[in-house]
Amino acid sequence: MLKRNKIFNPQGEDNSAKRRIIKGDTTGLFQLNDARYSWATSLYPVMIGNFWIPEKVSGLKDDARMFRSDLSEAEQRAYKGILSFLIFLDSIQTVNIPNFSDYITSPEVNLLLSIQAYQEAIHSQSYATILETVVDSKEREEIYYFWRDNEILLKRNEYIGKIYQDFIDRPTDKNFFRGIIGNYLLESLYFYNGFAFFDTLVDKMKMLATGRMISYIRRDELTHVTLFANIIREIKNEFPKIFDENLIYKMFETAVKQDIDWSIHILGNKIPGITEETTRAYTKWLANQRLELLGLKPLYPEAVENPYKHLERLQDTNSDKSNFLETTVINYTQSSSLNGSWDF
Ligand SMILES: [Fe+2]
Ligand SMILES: [Fe+2]
């Protein structure tokens, strides 16, 4: 069992040399001048620099008009179903991130988790902003509660919800590890077929304001991927017995299967630029990329090409000044050059 952090633990030791990612013994104070994890101090300015609010993104009225006049029936259905899944994911992230913080014993990492929780809340608010303008109240209900009548979505939501609930109910080492791998899959894989759908719309100059918000959300999510990839790597360094490679591969396999099934169900073959084949290829390619970030071999060695490579120009992860969405460039690779200092 893991022990939940005490609010204040006067006997604790804050010296960074003795700090551990979990199961440490800190006082509970945010002593941030003495940081151990240099990747955390490097990630902080990137996360803070990504600040945005949905209320400042203009053009949703154009999206509302376009939704009725320019989207096919299949695109409208996909827009609603994809948003429903993203809404669910950001909801549970907003609620659950603090549950991980309760067991992380590094203030510099807890700092980032607090920023993440705040960003997940902003994402939730951004969906509300989209739904307020683009669709009518009946459709809004339908989108929030799509899972009520959709067995495939309900199963997906229950799967990840149960992984988190098991960890909250019984915070064993194993349930903690399952929880952070579940979190990593959510952040690094679950969102991306949905993001690809919005990219294909933007590629055809459709739903540009929604696309811009999705782009900001993705920029945040990529920092969350980095954060959790690093937490998992620290678990491997500091607690090799908790790190369970077989479990990672098993969970990846399940997640890829679920993501392909759901994405094919909601996107099908009727969205220009997306086929069942590209959905399969993209999900497997992405899973390999995410495993590589954890220092693990690919699960699908045959999936070496990103079928949506042509859409990368719409994403803000590339340092391209002519970036269509005019968003800030981030570089989310891990930096170890700062040695625990907070230089901007
Ligand atoms: Fe999010
Ligand atoms: Fe996230």
Side-chain angles (χ1 to χ4, degrees), residues 90 93 119-120 123 187 191 217 221 224:
D90 274 302
Q93 289 305 85
Q119 290 177 335
E120 306 295 13
H123 300 170
E187 297 282 355
F191 280 110
I217 291 172
E221 300 307 349
H224 308 164

Side-chain angles (χ1 to χ4, degrees), residues 248-264:
I248 296 178
Y249 278 117
K250 250 174 69 188
M251 288 178 73
F252 260 78
E253 224 169 339
T254 306
V256 165
K257 193 184 171 316
Q258 283 181 337
D259 213 52
I260 290 173
D261 287 351
W262 159 250
S263 302
I264 285 178

Side-chain angles (χ1 to χ4, degrees), residues 199 202-203 215 218 311-316 323-325:
D199 287 345
V202 171
D203 192 38
S215 177
R218 171 170 44 215
L311 299 172
E312 275 179 357
R313 71 181 198 285
L314 306 175
Q315 301 168 3
D316 54 4
N323 190 317
F324 176 75
L325 296 168

Side-chain angles (χ1 to χ4, degrees), residues 154-164 178 185 190 250-252 254-255 258:
L154 180 65
K155 277 226 170 80
R156 289 212 70 177
N157 292 357
E158 280 178 335
Y159 174 77
I160 183 70
K162 184 166 186 325
I163 289 173
Y164 286 173
R178 268 179 87 221
L185 282 164
Y190 288 3
K250 250 174 69 188
M251 288 178 73
F252 260 78
T254 306
Q258 283 181 337

Side-chain angles (χ1 to χ4, degrees), residues 117-264:
Y118 157 82
Q119 290 177 335
E120 306 295 13
I122 291 285
H123 300 170
S124 297
Q125 171 61 11
S126 70
Y127 300 126
T129 309
I130 292 171
L131 297 192
E132 182 72 31
T133 311
V134 176
V135 295
D136 63 35
S137 59
K138 196 171 150 276
E139 285 167 319
R140 203 176 304 145
E141 280 293 295
E142 192 194 328
I143 292 169
Y144 275 118
Y145 301 102
F146 207 82
W147 43 265
R148 283 216 168 112
D149 300 313
N150 189 297
E151 194 70 19
I152 298 177
L153 185 58
L154 180 65
K155 277 226 170 80
R156 289 212 70 177
N157 292 357
E158 280 178 335
Y159 174 77
I160 183 70
K162 184 166 186 325
I163 289 173
Y164 286 173
Q165 194 66 52
D166 285 347
F167 161 60
I168 294 163
D169 294 344
R170 278 195 78 237
T172 59
D173 291 356
K174 182 161 185 191
N175 283 348
F176 171 77
F177 192 70
R178 268 179 87 221
I180 57 168
I181 299 303
N183 188 94
Y184 183 67
L185 282 164
L186 191 161
E187 297 282 355
S188 73
L189 198 77
Y190 288 3
F191 280 110
Y192 292 81
N193 274 300
F195 290 164
F197 165 68
F198 289 110
D199 287 345
T200 61
L201 290 183
V202 171
D203 192 38
K204 293 177 181 59
M205 300 302 285
K206 291 178 180 175
M207 310 304 280
L208 298 184
T210 309
R212 201 170 304 125
M213 285 210 211
I214 293 292
S215 177
Y216 285 131
I217 291 172
R218 171 170 44 215
R219 190 178 65 177
D220 291 342
E221 300 307 349
L222 289 172
T223 64
H224 308 164
V225 174
T226 306
L227 170 53
F228 272 82
N230 279 294
I231 290 174
I232 294 164
R233 280 167 168 272
E234 295 301 346
I235 298 284
K236 189 180 184 183
N237 292 338
E238 298 177 13
F239 300 92
K241 282 196 179 131
I242 296 179
F243 184 86
D244 182 346
E245 200 175 301
N246 286 337
L247 183 73
I248 296 178
Y249 278 117
K250 250 174 69 188
M251 288 178 73
F252 260 78
E253 224 169 339
T254 306
V256 165
K257 193 184 171 316
Q258 283 181 337
D259 213 52
I260 290 173
D261 287 351
W262 159 250
S263 302
I264 285 178

Side-chain angles (χ1 to χ4, degrees), residues 16-27:
S16 66
K18 293 193 179 152
R19 191 165 299 164
R20 294 190 296 170
I21 193 86
I22 52 171
K23 299 180 188 253
D25 185 37
T26 67
T27 65

